[in-house]
Amino acid sequence: MLVDYPAGKRRQGGQADDYLITAISFLEDNFTDPACTISELCQQLGLSRSYIYNLFRNKTERSPQQFLTQLRMDQAKELLASSDLTVQAIAHSVGYNDSFTFSKAFKRYQGLSPKSWRQIKNAGN
């Protein structure tokens, strides 16, 4: 279930920074939910996709999608390294509806499949 972020939480001064802080908080609080998308972020904040994109690019040098993916992949790497959960269970716990999509995204992000990454990490311990 997505945590709601009403527009009323924003202040007028330093508005761009406030929007960014609220956007980051929303993504951090909701990234494990498959319903957490950049479109949902835009809707929750009442901001256009292009405004949020430019805000993230200017302040973090990443797109909002890259930021969301990093949150999901960092959590996935932690779970792969520290648990015996299946790749499918990890995929679901970091906001992916299916393990195939998760595995493709993980490989694109990390350069290795989740299974290979886990084997390498476990071999190093």
Side-chain angles (χ1 to χ4, degrees), residues 16-17 19-21 23-25 27-28 52-68 70:
D17 288 341
Y19 286 144
L20 181 65
I21 290 166
I24 288 172
S25 293
L27 294 175
E28 288 175 341
I52 288 179
Y53 178 86
N54 288 326
L55 187 62
F56 269 82
R57 272 290 184 201
N58 292 336
K59 302 282 185 175
T60 70
E61 297 181 359
R62 288 177 281 175
S63 71
Q65 186 62 53
Q66 288 170 324
F67 188 88
L68 176 58
Q70 182 176 352

Side-chain angles (χ1 to χ4, degrees), residues 70-87 90 94 102-125:
Q70 182 176 352
L71 287 172
R72 288 178 167 158
M73 294 302 140
D74 287 349
Q75 180 67 24
K77 289 189 318 186
E78 186 175 316
L79 291 170
L80 286 164
S82 65
S83 77
D84 291 328
L85 292 172
T86 65
V87 171
I90 291 171
V94 297
F102 165 71
S103 292
K104 280 179 34 180
F106 190 92
K107 187 166 185 174
R108 214 175 19 255
Y109 183 82
Q110 198 61 39
L112 295 168
S113 70
K115 185 178 177 182
S116 297
W117 191 88
R118 175 182 263 168
Q119 288 171 341
I120 290 169
K121 280 306 253 188
N122 288 340
N125 291 335

